[in-house]
Amino acid sequence: MRVMENDPGKVAVKAQVELADSADKLTDSAAQQTDSADRRTELAADRTVLAAERTYAAWVRTGLAALASGIGARALLDKIVAPWFIGITGSVLILFSGFCFAAAVWRQMGKVAPPRPDAHRIPPSLLIAVNGFLALVSLAALVGIWLH
């Protein structure tokens, strides 16, 4: 005698086993997606920190270029334009450099929203010290333009 293949008991057991296997796969898949999403969020926070550092570098670079231009204005414009115009041009460029150095620190000191990034930020004391020194150099250059 042959056992019927459509036995309701065997079909139900087979369906339960397949359902349990499917549930296990879904649980594993959900855990992997959660881990992946968390990692993507952490990487996004790292990109935010690194973008802020590039912005800081751009401000400092612009400030240094303005400082060099302000100092070079005297040598470049000497005997071409009036001395008072050289002083004003150099002063504007040097004051702009000081603004750039201050803006660089102000922009970099902003908070990064959670989650905490893996990338470390530049310490605020170092930012203030370096940009404070650059601002003093700008002030000395400003005085030097008018006293030369």
Side-chain angles (χ1 to χ4, degrees), residues 65-114:
L67 179 60
S69 298
I71 293 170
R74 175 166 293 286
L76 185 64
L77 298 176
D78 195 27
K79 298 181 182 153
I80 296 175
V81 296
W84 63 269
F85 187 73
I86 295 170
I88 289 174
T89 301
S91 296
V92 168
L93 288 167
I94 291 171
L95 289 172
F96 178 69
S97 74
F99 167 78
C100 288
F101 299 142
V105 171
W106 175 71
R107 292 288 308 231
Q108 183 66 13
M109 298 289 280
K111 301 290 182 200
V112 175

